Amino acid sequence: MAHNHLVGAVPNFLTSFIALTQMYLNSNLLSGSIPAFIGNCVALEVLSLSDNWLTRVMPMSIGALTNLRRINLYNNQLHGSIPSTIGQLEQLSWLSLSYNALTADLDDLIPLGNLVGLLLSCNAISGSIPTTIGELFSLQTLDVSNNMLTGIIPSTISGLIHLTSLMLYQNKLESPVPQGLSALTALKLIDLHNNKSSEALPPAFTKMKRAEYMKLSRNNFTGSIPASISSLQSLTYLDLSSTFLAGTIPTAISKMQRLSRLYLHISTLSGTIPPTMGSMLNLQYLYVHPTATPCGAGRCEVVQYSGTAFCRACTNFCDTCTKVARAPPECKKKRRLCSRNSCPGRICIPFVRSCQGYKCI
């Protein structure tokens, strides 16, 4: 019954289906709370109520669903604390609670040893990342971005040897970045932007040989861009903008032949763009504009790189405008994605303050 226009509360009678193994009610217009009687569905393996308008707290009875393997409750209006009883779900491999207003004691989730995906972004989780995070040995995706986490990234994170995606952006995490990150040899995506790291660019970043996407912008990194960054031969996206990096763009960066997007704007880099970068035939965008344009104060100037010729381009997009507002109910079925034709070579973001869906930047 997913992807419909169902309204009202989650019916209590559904909880009498004790043989039910999968409940898919996602992408509807359901409201109210998750019924406490959900704990009666003891055979349930998949609970998917994401993309609705559910409110209130998650019931403690969810801990009775010991056969659960996947929980998808993202994009609702749930609040309160994630129930500690979730830690009893030893079979759980996927927990997605992003885009709510939940708080949590992350230590309660550490017993979930079979967890492959932990997605808690855009909530109200505070405190620090526990050192026990390294005990989630099976974890492949960790997303706790857009919360209020403080402290440092624990060195025990090096125990997550199967991790492919690490998203810790838009928190208040501080230096030092652990050198143990270099042990995450399976990592393909790392996003730490908009935190409070203030150190030279850690060598760990240049040792992530399989990384394809790396976003480290809006931190207080200092020093220069190391020439060793050219060892990231798999990288297609690199963002070092809005930092205190200085010096010149290293000539060795031209060895990154797979790179298609390079963001170096709003920093204190100097010198010239190395002519050898003309050999980077996959590079589509090079942003090196030195200063920010206040939101609403005009256009953000960028430099677009294409082949061996540089040209100037302008856009109405400013980084500080990208915080996404939740669409009102009447917009829910009007969202749409930019097509490739309508958004050639551009980024597609949710359009704020209206029902117009998405716009190209």
Side-chain angles (χ1 to χ4, degrees), residues 97-166:
L97 304 177
S98 299
Y99 297 96
N100 283 288
L102 295 164
T103 60
D105 182 346
L106 295 179
D107 267 320
D108 289 339
L109 306 179
I110 301 306
L112 302 175
N114 289 314
L115 210 58
V116 172
L118 177 59
L119 294 87
L120 303 175
S121 66
C122 295
N123 277 291
I125 300 172
S126 58
S128 60
I129 300 173
T131 57
T132 49
I133 192 73
E135 298 177 20
L136 295 176
F137 303 115
S138 300
L139 206 60
Q140 296 178 18
T141 300
L142 174 60
D143 185 357
V144 289
S145 59
N146 277 285
N147 279 288
M148 297 178 286
L149 294 170
T150 56
I152 63 172
I153 303 170
S155 59
T156 51
I157 202 168
S158 62
L160 305 180
I161 59 174
H162 299 293
L163 201 66
T164 59
S165 298
L166 176 61

Side-chain angles (χ1 to χ4, degrees), residues 175-249:
S175 299
V177 173
Q179 292 304 309
L181 280 180
S182 60
L184 305 181
T185 56
L187 203 61
K188 293 185 177 181
L189 183 155
I190 179 167
D191 193 339
L192 303 182
H193 83 267
N194 204 3
N195 276 288
K196 293 188 173 183
S197 292
S198 54
E199 57 183 314
L201 207 59
F205 292 134
T206 64
K207 297 177 181 178
M208 299 175 180
K209 306 301 184 184
R210 295 188 181 180
E212 298 174 0
Y213 181 105
M214 184 178 290
K215 188 168 185 176
L216 307 177
S217 58
R218 294 194 180 187
N219 278 285
N220 298 323
F221 291 122
T222 58
S224 60
I225 301 174
S228 57
I229 203 164
S230 64
S231 63
L232 302 179
Q233 292 294 304
S234 297
L235 212 61
T236 61
Y237 182 109
L238 176 61
D239 189 349
L240 300 175
S241 65
S242 300
T243 64
F244 292 100
L245 292 171
T248 59
I249 301 173

